[in-house]
Amino acid sequence: MPGIGRREALGAAGVAACGLALAGCGASGEGQAAAVPGIKGQVIAKTADVPVGGGVVVQKWKIVVTQPTEGVYKAYSAVCTHRGCAVGSPKEGVMTCPCHGSEFSAADGKALKGPASAPLTAYQVKVEGDGIVVV
């Protein structure tokens, strides 16, 4: 039984290289950010620090906490679903990514303006005392 010849080996290597190149071209970076491990049950922000109609970015967790309406708190990954840059604190109900200009709703995390089209990863939160806790 003959071994693999030089042509076959080079051909297989070429096919493999093309496959890797195509896979890299197809990846847009678009998608959900992974949830932060060990965050459940953690106080991620104080209610007094999150203004109504605005929010804060919590650098420690890479999370943005918003209060779209009085007493309603939301939390999202601060990692833009386009290329992974950190979004800024909400202004006028919108979180903006400084890298490519994607915009996300502070009320539900949905992409409002591209290039990102996927929403920010949402975290379920509740208020315990004066803290906002991930459920």
Side-chain angles (χ1 to χ4, degrees), residues 37-63:
I39 196 168
K40 286 190 176 186
Q42 299 292 321
V43 174
I44 56 172
K46 299 288 186 187
T47 55
D49 296 335
V50 185
V52 176
V56 296
V57 175
V58 182
Q59 296 298 331
K60 176 182 178 181
W61 303 106
K62 293 184 181 165
I63 289 178

Side-chain angles (χ1 to χ4, degrees), residues 30-31 33 54-66 74-91 93-123:
E30 190 79 21
V56 296
V57 175
V58 182
Q59 296 298 331
K60 176 182 178 181
W61 303 106
K62 293 184 181 165
I63 289 178
V64 61
V65 181
T66 69
K74 307 278 184 150
Y76 309 99
S77 169
V79 178
C80 179
T81 57
H82 176 241
R83 293 283 185 209
C85 295
V87 299
S89 295
K91 291 182 180 42
V94 175
M95 298 169 284
T96 303
C97 178
C99 294
H100 300 106
S102 293
E103 294 181 353
F104 300 89
S105 168
D108 59 17
K110 289 184 181 174
L112 302 173
K113 177 182 166 194
S117 60
L120 296 174
T121 299
Y123 291 91

